Amino acid sequence: MTQTRGYALITGASAGIGAAFARELAARGHPLVLSARRVERLESLAQSLREAHRIDIQIIPADLAERDAPRLLCEEVARRGLGVDLLVNNAGYGVTGYFLSQPWQVQADFIQVLMTAPTELCHRLLPAMRERGHGRIINVASLAGHVPGSAGQTLYAGAKSYLIKLSQALHLEYGPDGVNTCALCPGFTYTEFHDVTGSRAMMSKLPKWLWMDAQTVVRQGLRAVDRGEAVHINGRVNRMIKSLLKLMPDRLALALMGRQSRRIRKKKPD
């Protein structure tokens, strides 16, 4: 990515994997467009990276749960004359609780942020990449997209699976034009994700060998998209989990996931 002269647009850049992408790309001299809802965090991150690496960093706050946000984000990028050659669709979160325990608007916002918004950003930014004959798209998916759905986060696995399939299709369609698309699929990663979902205490009991740090995930993702990988699962353990579940009969894999869900989320459905 160090040869690229355009900007990297990172959504959900205020924390976690998004912030790790910003730090890694800034260290490589890549100018950045950082977007998220939390403006104060974006400004703090941008200022520290400017001082450390002396690169241009633009901030465009956006709440991707708003239906017009992807369009307005791209229009502001164009208004500022910022050519984007790397799109990192990272914005995301988890909705805890069973499907009916949350109002429909909460579920609709989740679909908008994790599925509709990244798809629209790809659609709006891909034409210029294709015209230049060079571009990179990383859709941050998850190991969850490769395994059966679980109780307690009803839409999460489905949304991540969608990003994987979207990335594969875009890879086949526009890879020949010089635009590589990769679905990055980390497993358990040290970020604040589990603090937000209220599952930190439970997750801290898991063995350390299941976990990866965000910076390693990011570096592997950047290498994968440059190599032209349509899907990259981070870590040997995660690749082994995916392979084992794929070999199992669907009924058995689903039963195992159900058992694990009951261990993690003891609350009964509403």
Side-chain angles (χ1 to χ4, degrees):
M1 303 307 304
T2 52
Q3 291 81 17
T4 327
R5 295 184 179 178
Y7 284 75
L9 169 58
I10 306 169
T11 67
S14 60
I17 292 175
F21 266 110
R23 294 187 184 98
E24 180 64 25
L25 289 165
R28 300 182 183 198
H30 206 307
L32 305 175
V33 180
L34 306 181
S35 184
R37 292 178 300 131
R38 295 177 287 189
V39 181
E40 297 81 5
R41 285 201 176 193
L42 286 179
E43 291 177 342
S44 176
L45 176 62
Q47 184 61 27
S48 66
L49 294 179
R50 290 189 192 106
E51 292 174 355
H53 304 291
R54 299 189 179 279
I55 58 171
D56 186 36
I57 301 179
Q58 304 278 330
I59 294 174
I60 306 179
D63 181 356
L64 294 179
E66 297 177 0
R67 304 307 185 260
D68 290 336
R71 174 180 60 81
L72 294 174
L73 174 56
C74 291
E75 288 178 354
E76 181 62 19
V77 166
R79 189 189 71 78
R80 297 186 190 186
L82 310 175
V84 172
D85 62 12
L86 170 59
L87 168 63
V88 180
N89 277 315
N90 168 75
Y93 57 96
V95 175
T96 57
Y98 284 78
F99 186 56
L100 297 180
S101 67
Q102 299 285 355
W104 170 245
Q105 190 58 52
V106 171
Q107 308 290 10
D109 288 347
F110 180 88
I111 293 170
Q112 169 67 25
V113 173
L114 272 84
M115 299 173 70
T116 305
T119 307
E120 183 174 350
L121 288 173
C122 288
H123 194 269
R124 290 183 178 277
L125 295 173
L126 237 168
M129 295 182 189
R130 187 184 184 195
E131 184 176 350
R132 289 192 298 267
H134 177 84
R136 301 287 186 263
I137 298 172
I138 297 177
N139 293 317
V140 180
S142 170
L143 176 64
H146 294 280
V147 304
S150 63
Q153 285 208 359
T154 318
L155 301 182
Y156 191 80
K160 295 301 187 179
S161 179
Y162 167 78
L163 286 177
I164 293 168
K165 300 302 183 185
L166 171 66
S167 301
Q168 290 172 326
L170 293 178
H171 166 77
L172 293 174
E173 291 176 354
Y174 301 106
D177 297 328
V179 182
N180 293 352
T181 303
C182 178
L184 184 61
C185 302
F188 294 115
T189 307
Y190 289 114
T191 68
E192 65 179 29
F193 177 86
H194 299 293
D195 298 311
V196 175
T197 60
S199 58
R200 172 60 60 196
M202 182 276 301
M203 290 298 177
S204 64
K205 299 176 183 178
L206 294 173
K208 293 186 181 298
W209 50 265
L210 278 174
W211 293 83
M212 296 183 68
D213 65 274
Q215 210 67 33
T216 299
V217 168
V218 164
R219 288 170 182 159
Q220 291 178 356
L222 291 171
R223 285 198 299 269
V225 75
D226 273 341
R227 287 196 300 258
E229 294 183 36
V231 179
H232 182 79
I233 301 175
N234 298 92
R236 295 178 183 176
V237 172
N238 294 322
R239 290 192 289 271
M240 182 180 67
I241 291 171
K242 185 253 187 180
S243 297
L244 288 174
L245 287 171
K246 187 175 182 180
L247 291 172
M248 288 182 186
D250 290 346
R251 185 174 179 179
L252 176 58
L254 186 60
L256 287 174
M257 185 59 70
R259 181 180 177 183
Q260 184 67 11
S261 297
R262 288 191 294 273
R263 288 178 58 195
I264 294 173
R265 312 184 192 284
K266 300 182 183 299
K267 184 179 178 181
K268 300 291 184 183
D270 294 339

